C-alpha cells in the first residue's frame, strides 16, 4: 500500500488507512462470484495524527455528513480488478479530503451601484413608462 498525497503539505500514511474487500456486483464473468474485487477504504480523520489541527477542524465540519464516528469510508467497485478499485478508492479519498481542506472562499466585499448604472436604470424605466403611456388613448 502507498501513502495518499492530498496536497503538497498533507500526506496520509498508508498505516492510517484500512481496506476491506468483498464481492462486487456488476461485470466480471466467471470470476465474479469468487473474486473479492470491491474495496472499502476507511480513514479515521478524527484520530489522525498526520492531519494538522487547523485543517482537521475544517475537514470535520465540512465532512460531518459523510463521517461515522470520525471515520470516512469510501467504497469502489467500478472496475473488475481489485488493484484498479484500490487505486480508484485512494484517488476518490484524496479528492474528497482535498476539497474539505480547501480554504474558504474570500468574503464578498459589499459594493454600491455606480452613479452611471443608477442613471441608466432610471432612464430605462422612463423609456418603458413612455412606451406604455403611448399605448393608452382614444382610437378615433
Amino acid at each position: 500500500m502507498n501513502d495518499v498525497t492530498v496536497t503538497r503539505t498533507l500526506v496520509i500514511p498508508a498505516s492510517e488507512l484500512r481496506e476491506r474487500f468483498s464481492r462486487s456486483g456488476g461485470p466480471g464473468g466467471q470470476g465474479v462470484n469468487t473474486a473479492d474485487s470491491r474495496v472499502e477504504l476507511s480513514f479515521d480523520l478524527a484520530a489522525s495524527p498526520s492531519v494538522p489541527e487547523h485543517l482537521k477542524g475544517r475537514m470535520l465540519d465540512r465532512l460531518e455528513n459523510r463521517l461515522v464516528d470520525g471515520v470516512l469510508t469510501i467504497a469502489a467497485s467500478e472496475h473488475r480488478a481489485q488493484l484498479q478499485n484500490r487505486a480508484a478508492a485512494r484517488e476518490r479519498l484524496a479528492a474528497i479530503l482535498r476539497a474539505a481542506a480547501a480554504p474558504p472562499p474570500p468574503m464578498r466585499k459589499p459594493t454600491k451601484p455606480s452613479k452611471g448604472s443608477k442613471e441608466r436604470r432610471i432612464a430605462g424605466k422612463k423609456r418603458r413608462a413612455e412606451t406604455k403611456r403611448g399605448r393608452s388613448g382614444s382610437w378615433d
Side-chain angles (χ1 to χ4, degrees):
M1 270 198 315
N2 298 332
D3 297 345
V4 176
T5 304
V6 178
T7 62
R8 285 184 287 129
T9 57
L10 178 59
V11 177
I12 307 298
S15 61
E16 292 185 29
L17 301 174
R18 300 283 170 258
E19 287 181 329
R20 231 180 88 216
F21 305 103
S22 60
R23 293 200 178 119
S24 173
Q30 293 174 339
V32 75
N33 295 324
T34 58
D36 290 340
S37 60
R38 181 176 189 264
V39 177
E40 282 186 19
L41 183 64
S42 298
F43 172 59
D44 192 353
L45 178 61
S48 175
S50 61
V51 179
E53 288 301 319
H54 70 280
L55 284 180
K56 192 180 290 189
R58 182 187 307 161
M59 293 168 88
L60 288 171
D61 285 343
R62 289 187 179 171
L63 295 174
E64 66 183 345
N65 294 334
R66 292 196 64 151
L67 299 176
V68 177
D69 297 329
V71 178
L72 177 64
T73 303
I74 308 279
S77 62
E78 59 265 17
H79 301 288
R80 289 174 58 170
Q82 188 187 83
L83 283 175
Q84 289 175 319
N85 283 330
R86 289 174 78 182
R90 286 166 180 274
E91 288 172 17
R92 216 175 306 153
L93 175 72
I96 289 170
L97 293 177
R98 193 175 303 116
M107 293 295 293
R108 179 189 170 273
K109 181 181 173 186
T111 58
K112 294 180 182 176
S114 67
K115 187 176 179 183
S117 68
K118 287 181 188 175
E119 290 173 358
R120 285 190 298 274
R121 182 178 65 87
I122 299 299
K125 287 169 72 99
K126 287 184 179 178
R127 272 194 309 276
R128 185 76 181 143
E130 191 60 40
T131 301
K132 289 185 174 187
R133 196 175 305 120
R135 291 179 186 157
S136 65
S138 60
W139 298 95
D140 291 332

